[in-house]
Amino acid sequence: MINWIIKKVIGSKNARLVKSLRPTVARINALEAEYQKLSNEDLRAKTAEWKERLAKIEDESEQQVVLNEILPEAFAAVKNAARRLCGETFSVCDQPYTWNMVHFDVQLVGGICLHRGMITEMATGEGKTLVATLPLYLNALTGKGAHLVTTNDYLARRDGETMGQLYKFLGLTTGIIQHDQYPEERRQQYHCDITYGMNSEFGFDYLRDNGMATSKEQQVQRGYHFAIVDEVDSILIDEARTPLIISGPATVSTHQYDKFKPLVEQLVKKQTMLCNRLTSEAEEAWDQKKTEEFGVRMVKVKLGQPRNKGLLRAMEDPEKRRVIDKTELSYHTDTRKEEYFALKEELFFVMDERAHEADLSDSGRHFMNPDDPDTFVLPDLITQFAEIDSSPSLTETEKLEEKKKKQAFCDHQGERIHNISQLLRAYCLFEKDVQYVVDEGKVVIVDENTGRKMTGRRWSDGLHQAVEAKEGVQIDRETQTLATITIQNYFRLYFKLAGMTGTAETEANEFSDVYKLDVAVIPTNMPCVRKDMNDFIYKTRREKFNSVVKEIVAAHGRQQPVLVGTVSVEASEVLSRMLKREKIPHAVLNAKYHMQEAEIISRAGQPGQVTISTNMAGRGTDIKLGPGVVNVGGLYVIGTERHESRRIDRQLRGRCARQGDPGLSRFYVSFEDDLMRNFGAADRMTKMMERFGLEEGQELEHPWLNKSVETAQKRVEQRNYMIRKRSLDYDDVMNKQREVVYSFRNEAINTDDTRALLWEVIDEAIPEKVAEFLPESGEDRNPDGLLHWVNVTFPMGLTAETAAFDKKTPPEVNDFLIERVKRTYELKCAHELTEAVRYLERTIILNAVDRLWQEHLYATDSLREAVNLRAYAQKDPLIEYKTEAYEMFTELMSNIKGEILHNLFRSTSNLESFGQFLQNLPQFLIRGDETGNTTTEPSGGPNGESRGTPRRPTSDEPPPTIADAIASQRPPAREPAKVGRNDPCPCGSGKKYKNCCGRLA
């Protein structure tokens, strides 16, 4: 009440903001009137003048101060240029387009908010595309680039080509990113003043530039200064649950989906038959007044097949629904938990639609493999390894072999369980033409919010392969992550970020929490006169669709255009078939016909036109009313189902009543809709059905019911927000690591002095190794282990006497080793071309970073999956993930340095000069071991050397190759010696055996 009074007296925060901008708008209009007297050349000259002024300022914050000063003049110049273009015709997407737009005052308000780094909510048809030209032009004057991010390639091209005429008139260049462009062309687009592109294209270019490019020439982006995200709610919220991932085929593919597909298919059929039988028995029990038996059997069906037709029919009856709900609730009490578990075990598997999971019961496991009860049990490796180690009858070699066999069996068993689990999910929870479509022999994911095909995207963790097996198409190889980033963390790279959409207010808290962006609701240019009618709620989908068709037929009869929004491809095709029976001409827009999206949507306002579309399809395309449509009430928008998000419903309603046009909207809902089944207030609805005694085809309608539906939507929105928030919390950990790795990688690409970078690695890595083997405390000093590591890593031929590690302090050892390594490396490079050496050094660094970073990504993915189980031990999985991920990252950076050092002397740009270098090595390296002990040929050897003389290559022999050098250092095959726990590990890591390969012993 108090808040209401305050708002009435002083206005809301948003109203005060809009009011405060009115003087600036008036100033812009006054300047624009003056600019009308200028010639075209004089107007363009202002662009050059401002660019020159800003180019002299390096600091971005200072540039922003200047931009704020020149904002009224720059906005006036853009508005004046738009006025001068009126009547001009040019080509947009290969079609003629005539410019007829000049900025309204509310659009100037929106432009100011965007420049300030806010999200502007503007109703459909208010000209957001034109609004964006104002801040894009202003921020592009800095010369650092300004990006406009769209939801698809078509909108990027259409808006870029349309608004590009305005920028060109003012003297700026426009780039357009498209999916099929080559790197050179992409680089040209990014180096334009203003660049339009799809959100995923920007993200993937970032990943390719930072995680895969090996030279400056292969990098296309040039920085992250200013971006405006069009349809910001769709990109920063709806798509934020799925990170952007560049993946490559896994090195080894071990899937068994095609092998287990027939078994899982039979299992699903048996469950269907079982549930149908249980439904029949339940109906018989109901007829005999055995309500308790009826409830138990129906709860069992609900667990095993939530969409069973018999169950859905029973849920239409209020009395039956109450019995089922009461029975289900009773099973969740503590006293009946064992009964509930036993009930589940009578099924072959149990489905949980909310969690999107399906889990085999003991009956299902027995059906899958009746002969082996342990098929779905993972072996206890720790116990098995301990038994092997304690066995006196096995040699060390046999113990290693046994461990390998046990590990291989465990991996095979785990893969089998995982494959069956994913196949079960594919059959039970993923429906064709709902979550995916099959297009040209490929399974293509359908975006649940937009209804568009997401070509190139794949479900992770083997789920996509399982769906491919289910549909009988080619099963592609499993993939391994090469580079990844979340949408949130990509857009947080920008110095300044803004966004625009028709619906942002409901998600204002998330925009503020995650992106630190405020939402400004911009008033419409003309009052909105749309009528939003109450929802019609039906018992069944059949009744709902029949009523929708009747309403469409009636509207078509009076020549009122109708836009029908559906939530899936399947629903749009069902409705299309029903309209064909009624002989109503119509157009269908879903994932199967997305290529004609803009064209279909643009015709939706013509008299008598009927258009069926997924709820969000066609965003960004205006629906203009045809002749006479205003007189019959404008465009009629019908929603066939409430979406999980209120925002998506508001978007659908917003398709009508643009710029003061009339319009009408209504949603049709049934109790069988996914939202109502999983999150709706079933008890309350059931009571209302009883109270009003609903008959076949009769609907419920009341504002209170709208509130109930919105309450269910709020629950889903909150759940989805927590999923996105959790995803971001985990990725924030990876983001910090990604920044470190990518900055190191970019330094290697961009520096002209790669030698200095190698010296840094040597200066950091060698002291770390020295500290490991020669700790300052003096305890556990291991000079032999350090000598072993040095001679394995570097070809310096150190002996214990030469090195004298046991007589030096750690700082003295550091200085000694660093100086010797650098001197030896300089000797190696002396006979090679400088440019070739620089390229080789860069390659050594990049290969080490890329290989180990990809392994690190795989390891952290595995950690993230496994860490959730620690919640059972009353530990926060996120804290555990942060702790272990940090330890893994520390090890990663150490391993990268080690890999670089390891490869320094194992790579060359010139084999001939490398052979010369090998000839000049200390003698024992020709034939010796890494502890400095030379081996000699006996008297009368093949080249006549005297006894005890190290063998040299003769002038007749070719210089030794890299392979010869490596082979010469390979120790002869021998029986493995017994290694003491404190001895150096034989693997060559330089660590003690007990801390390396022997830690499991």
Side-chain angles (χ1 to χ4, degrees):
M1 184 67 181
I2 295 173
N3 288 337
W4 183 83
I5 293 170
I6 292 172
K7 283 184 181 179
K8 280 294 180 184
V9 174
I10 63 173
S12 65
K13 178 184 175 184
N14 192 77
R16 295 197 300 274
L17 170 68
V18 173
K19 186 178 179 182
S20 70
L21 298 177
R22 295 293 180 192
T24 308
V25 172
R27 169 77 176 140
I28 294 168
N29 287 330
L31 286 166
E32 194 270 330
E34 293 178 20
Y35 287 173
Q36 290 177 24
K37 302 170 187 174
L38 300 176
S39 66
N40 290 351
E41 289 73 23
D42 290 340
L43 188 63
R44 287 192 198 99
K46 289 193 171 293
T47 300
E49 175 193 330
W50 291 326
K51 287 186 82 171
E52 185 180 347
R53 179 181 171 187
L54 286 160
K56 296 174 183 175
I57 305 170
E58 292 185 4
D59 183 67
E60 282 192 301
S61 299
E62 291 180 21
Q63 282 185 337
Q64 292 301 312
V65 173
V66 176
L67 289 178
N68 292 334
E69 289 174 9
I70 65 173
L71 182 146
E73 299 168 68
F75 278 26
V78 176
K79 181 173 181 178
N80 187 249
R83 190 182 301 281
R84 294 178 191 229
L85 280 175
C86 284
E88 295 284 333
T89 300
F90 40 84
S91 176
V92 173
C93 296
D94 304 319
Q95 298 294 323
Y97 179 87
T98 303
W99 184 281
N100 61 352
M101 298 180 285
V102 181
H103 301 78
F104 300 131
D105 285 359
V106 290
Q107 291 175 317
L108 297 176
V109 172
I112 297 168
C113 292
L114 288 173
H115 169 69
R116 291 184 178 183
M118 302 176 75
I119 290 175
T120 60
E121 178 178 305
M122 302 181 72
T124 302
E126 290 297 305
K128 291 186 284 291
T129 309
L130 186 64
V131 172
T133 59
L134 299 161
L136 284 173
Y137 169 79
L138 177 61
N139 286 271
L141 294 174
T142 60
K144 296 179 179 177
H147 298 163
L148 188 126
V149 185
T150 67
T151 52
N152 61 41
D153 269 354
Y154 168 77
L155 290 179
R157 183 185 172 195
R158 186 201 71 181
D159 295 351
E161 290 184 0
T162 307
M163 300 304 147
Q165 297 295 325
L166 184 61
Y167 305 131
K168 183 180 177 183
F169 186 89
L170 288 164
L172 295 182
T173 56
T174 308
I176 301 169
I177 304 295
Q178 295 286 280
H179 177 69
D180 53 357
Q181 288 172 340
Y182 289 104
E184 183 57 40
E185 191 178 356
R186 281 176 179 267
R187 191 181 306 105
Q188 292 171 5
Q189 308 306 313
Y190 277 114
H191 281 72
C192 291
D193 294 307
I194 296 166
T195 305
Y196 283 72
M198 184 179 172
N199 61 305
S200 58
E201 294 298 326
F202 283 106
F204 287 133
D205 282 339
Y206 167 79
L207 292 175
R208 282 188 284 263
D209 279 4
N210 291 276
M212 303 177 77
T214 57
S215 66
K216 291 181 189 176
E217 291 69 33
Q218 292 178 3
Q219 293 183 317
V220 297
Q221 292 186 336
R222 61 164 176 152
Y224 311 96
H225 172 60
F226 176 65
I228 295 176
V229 183
D230 192 14
E231 307 299 358
V232 66
D233 56 322
S234 175
I235 292 172
L236 296 192
I237 290 181
D238 296 332
E239 296 195 22
R241 278 185 286 171
T242 308
L244 298 174
I245 298 173
I246 291 181
S247 56
T251 49
V252 179
S253 184
T254 56
H255 77 77
Q256 303 166 49
Y257 295 110
D258 40 3
K259 175 183 174 183
F260 295 122
K261 176 192 171 182
L263 274 175
V264 173
E265 209 165 46
Q266 289 177 38
L267 183 73
V268 173
K269 284 179 182 175
K270 284 187 75 71
Q271 176 101 325
T272 303
M273 291 167 62
L274 172 63
C275 289
N276 289 339
R277 180 169 58 79
L278 287 169
T279 307
S280 302
E281 291 173 0
E283 289 298 336
E284 289 175 12
W286 181 264
D287 294 338
Q288 296 169 13
K289 309 295 183 185
K290 298 177 181 177
T291 54
E292 187 175 343
E293 185 181 333
F294 168 83
V296 170
R297 295 189 185 284
M298 279 303 187
V299 166
K300 203 184 295 185
V301 173
K302 194 173 181 181
L303 287 169
Q305 203 175 32
R307 298 184 184 184
N308 181 278
K309 290 182 180 178
L311 172 66
L312 294 177
R313 276 197 301 272
M315 297 293 274
E316 295 171 19
D317 187 311
E319 191 63 36
K320 291 178 180 177
R321 187 188 188 105
R322 190 196 298 111
V323 171
I324 295 169
D325 290 344
K326 185 179 177 182
T327 306
E328 185 178 22
L329 195 63
S330 71
Y331 274 118
H332 289 289
T333 59
D334 289 342
T335 53
R336 300 194 68 182
K337 277 187 177 178
E338 290 186 7
E339 286 182 59
Y340 192 48
F341 180 77
L343 192 74
K344 289 180 178 180
E345 289 303 314
E346 292 174 21
L347 297 162
F348 292 103
F349 55 86
V350 177
M351 290 170 59
D352 184 348
E353 283 190 303
R354 286 197 198 185
H356 236 55
E357 291 294 338
D359 188 33
L360 282 173
S361 65
D362 280 347
S363 305
R365 295 185 191 104
H366 179 75
F367 173 83
M368 294 294 292
N369 202 326
D371 302 325
D372 185 2
D374 294 331
T375 301
F376 293 90
V377 179
L378 285 175
D380 183 357
L381 282 182
I382 296 176
T383 304
Q384 290 180 348
F385 281 11
E387 289 172 357
I388 291 170
D389 285 331
S390 61
S391 172
S393 60
L394 298 174
T395 65
E396 290 298 320
T397 307
E398 289 171 338
K399 286 179 181 179
L400 285 173
E401 286 300 317
E402 280 298 310
K403 286 182 181 179
K404 283 181 183 176
K405 288 178 184 176
K406 298 291 184 186
Q407 182 68 57
F409 176 74
C410 181
D411 293 344
H412 174 79
Q413 198 83 328
E415 186 74 26
R416 174 193 178 93
I417 295 169
H418 178 71
N419 286 175
I420 291 172
S421 173
Q422 294 295 53
L423 272 170
L424 195 59
R425 289 181 68 201
Y427 271 94
C428 298
L429 299 164
F430 287 79
E431 288 187 50
K432 183 179 176 182
D433 291 341
V434 179
Q435 282 93 354
Y436 65 92
V437 294
V438 177
D439 184 23
E440 296 179 359
K442 296 278 185 185
V443 171
V444 182
I445 301 172
V446 174
D447 190 319
E448 63 177 312
N449 295 305
T450 65
R452 296 186 179 108
K453 286 194 286 190
M454 302 168 77
T455 307
R457 294 215 183 167
R458 296 175 65 80
W459 286 301
S460 60
D461 208 23
L463 179 60
H464 208 95
Q465 284 87 351
V467 176
E468 286 170 334
K470 169 191 170 185
E471 293 298 334
V473 300
Q474 179 184 336
I475 303 174
D476 290 339
R477 285 184 65 179
E478 293 177 45
T479 56
Q480 179 181 340
T481 301
L482 303 181
T484 177
I485 191 172
T486 56
I487 289 284
Q488 295 104 316
N489 276 323
Y490 171 71
F491 283 108
R492 292 199 295 193
L493 292 169
Y494 281 88
F495 175 76
K496 188 165 68 173
L497 181 66
M500 50 190 189
T501 179
T503 48
E505 205 174 8
T506 55
E507 311 293 344
N509 289 338
E510 184 167 350
F511 285 127
S512 178
D513 291 347
V514 177
Y515 303 99
K516 307 295 183 270
L517 295 173
D518 291 330
V519 174
V521 180
I522 309 300
T524 55
N525 185 51
M526 302 281 288
C528 180
V529 294
R530 183 183 69 235
K531 294 179 182 176
D532 294 331
M533 312 299 287
N534 290 329
D535 295 358
F536 277 168
I537 300 179
Y538 296 85
K539 289 196 288 186
T540 67
R541 289 179 83 233
R542 176 174 45 79
E543 293 174 46
K544 177 183 73 175
F545 277 124
N546 285 336
S547 296
V548 168
V549 170
K550 284 179 186 174
E551 190 70 10
I552 292 171
V553 170
H556 181 70
R558 57 179 182 267
Q559 287 295 290
Q560 183 175 18
V562 182
L563 175 65
V564 186
T566 63
V567 295
S568 67
V569 175
E570 179 199 36
S572 64
E573 294 190 339
V574 166
L575 202 55
S576 176
R577 287 195 295 270
M578 294 175 75
L579 287 175
K580 281 177 183 174
R581 284 203 298 268
E582 297 292 333
K583 297 184 171 53
I584 299 293
H586 60 278
V588 179
L589 173 58
N590 58 37
K592 292 184 176 179
Y593 312 105
H594 71 290
M595 298 299 289
Q596 300 88 12
E597 178 176 322
E599 185 186 349
I600 292 173
I601 285 292
S602 64
R603 294 199 306 263
Q606 299 306 306
Q609 181 72 31
V610 177
T611 308
I612 301 172
S613 161
T614 44
N615 279 358
M616 294 267 285
R619 286 183 69 165
T621 305
D622 272 348
I623 300 177
K624 296 180 181 177
L625 301 184
V629 172
V630 172
N631 300 328
V632 293
L635 180 64
Y636 187 2
V637 170
I638 294 176
T640 59
E641 191 171 331
R642 282 280 198 164
H643 200 274
E644 287 185 350
S645 170
R646 291 169 295 162
R647 185 170 36 77
I648 311 295
D649 293 343
R650 287 183 62 202
Q651 281 284 356
L652 182 61
R653 289 190 195 274
R655 304 306 302 164
C656 66
R658 60 180 294 279
Q659 287 293 325
D661 289 339
L664 181 69
S665 71
R666 187 190 296 277
F667 279 88
Y668 287 70
V669 182
S670 83
F671 290 126
E672 293 179 0
D673 295 346
D674 290 346
L675 177 72
M676 301 301 290
R677 284 192 304 108
N678 293 328
F679 300 98
D683 289 340
R684 193 181 309 158
M685 297 292 185
T686 303
K687 287 174 184 173
M688 288 188 179
M689 290 164 67
E690 288 178 343
R691 188 176 302 154
F692 295 111
L694 286 184
E695 298 176 2
E696 175 77 19
Q698 192 174 350
E699 75 277 349
L700 281 173
E701 177 199 5
H702 198 278
W704 289 358
L705 292 177
N706 297 358
K707 293 288 183 187
S708 292
V709 174
E710 287 180 8
T711 301
Q713 289 176 309
K714 285 178 183 176
R715 290 193 196 116
V716 185
E717 287 171 8
Q718 187 62 30
R719 185 195 67 162
N720 290 342
Y721 171 58
M722 294 310 297
I723 292 172
R724 292 190 293 270
K725 184 85 167 56
R726 201 68 171 168
S727 173
L728 184 62
D729 287 340
Y730 279 100
D731 193 65
D732 278 343
V733 179
M734 284 301 297
N735 197 47
K736 292 181 177 66
Q737 299 180 7
R738 187 188 301 113
E739 286 173 2
V740 174
V741 171
Y742 283 0
S743 62
F744 179 60
R745 199 178 185 283
N746 280 325
E747 192 177 354
I749 290 173
N750 295 316
T751 185
D752 291 326
D753 188 4
T754 49
R755 186 70 52 84
L757 208 55
L758 287 179
W759 282 180
E760 281 181 30
V761 172
I762 291 170
D763 291 342
E764 291 173 9
I766 287 180
E768 285 179 11
K769 279 293 179 184
V770 171
E772 183 182 331
F773 289 104
L774 305 175
E776 291 280 357
S777 61
E779 295 178 10
D780 293 329
R781 284 173 65 87
N782 186 5
D784 290 341
L786 179 59
L787 183 64
H788 174 87
W789 175 79
V790 169
N791 283 329
V792 163
T793 309
F794 310 110
M796 296 192 303
L798 289 181
T799 62
E801 294 75 23
T802 310
F805 291 151
D806 52 344
K807 298 175 183 176
K808 294 176 181 172
T809 63
E812 289 172 341
V813 174
N814 290 339
D815 295 341
F816 169 75
L817 286 177
I818 290 171
E819 189 273 331
R820 288 290 291 267
V821 170
K822 289 181 179 178
R823 181 149 48 87
T824 308
Y825 185 71
E826 295 282 5
L827 174 65
K828 171 186 176 292
C829 298
H831 303 291
E832 300 183 52
L833 294 173
T834 307
E835 272 304 312
V837 170
R838 188 179 298 133
Y839 174 78
L840 182 65
E841 289 170 346
R842 182 175 287 120
T843 304
I844 288 170
I845 295 171
L846 294 179
N847 285 348
V849 171
D850 292 348
R851 188 180 71 80
L852 293 169
W853 175 244
Q854 287 166 21
E855 289 179 6
H856 180 71
L857 288 176
Y858 182 77
T860 49
D861 281 349
S862 302
L863 172 64
R864 186 169 172 181
E865 289 173 17
V867 81
N868 289 320
L869 297 174
R870 300 191 190 179
Y872 292 113
Q874 303 301 310
K875 293 180 180 179
D876 184 346
L878 182 59
I879 300 297
E880 294 290 302
Y881 178 78
K882 286 180 177 179
T883 304
E884 291 207 21
Y886 176 75
E887 292 171 1
M888 291 167 65
F889 182 67
T890 307
E891 187 177 349
L892 166 72
M893 297 310 292
S894 177
N895 289 344
I896 287 175
K897 293 170 193 170
E899 178 100 343
I900 292 170
L901 295 185
H902 183 79
N903 291 329
L904 269 186
F905 294 95
R906 289 170 171 79
S907 310
T908 183
S909 63
N910 187 320
L911 282 176
E912 206 171 308
S913 61
F914 191 56
Q916 186 67 35
F917 166 69
L918 289 176
Q919 283 189 355
N920 293 330
L921 289 178
Q923 293 301 313
F924 81 90
L925 284 180
I926 305 294
R927 289 285 300 276
D929 62 30
E930 56 274 3
T931 57
N933 299 316
T934 60
T935 56
T936 60
E937 288 283 343
S939 179
N943 292 296
E945 302 91 345
S946 61
R947 181 180 297 275
T949 304
R951 181 180 177 277
R952 286 180 177 274
T954 66
S955 57
D956 296 331
E957 294 179 22
T961 63
I962 300 174
D964 295 331
I966 294 171
S968 70
Q969 295 186 60
R970 186 176 298 143
R974 60 172 70 91
E975 278 293 311
K978 185 73 175 175
V979 184
R981 287 179 59 74
N982 287 314
D983 292 342
C985 187
C987 74
S989 66
K991 297 181 181 179
K992 290 186 178 181
Y993 179 67
K994 67 181 181 183
N995 295 326
C996 191
C997 297
R999 66 183 183 277
L1000 293 175

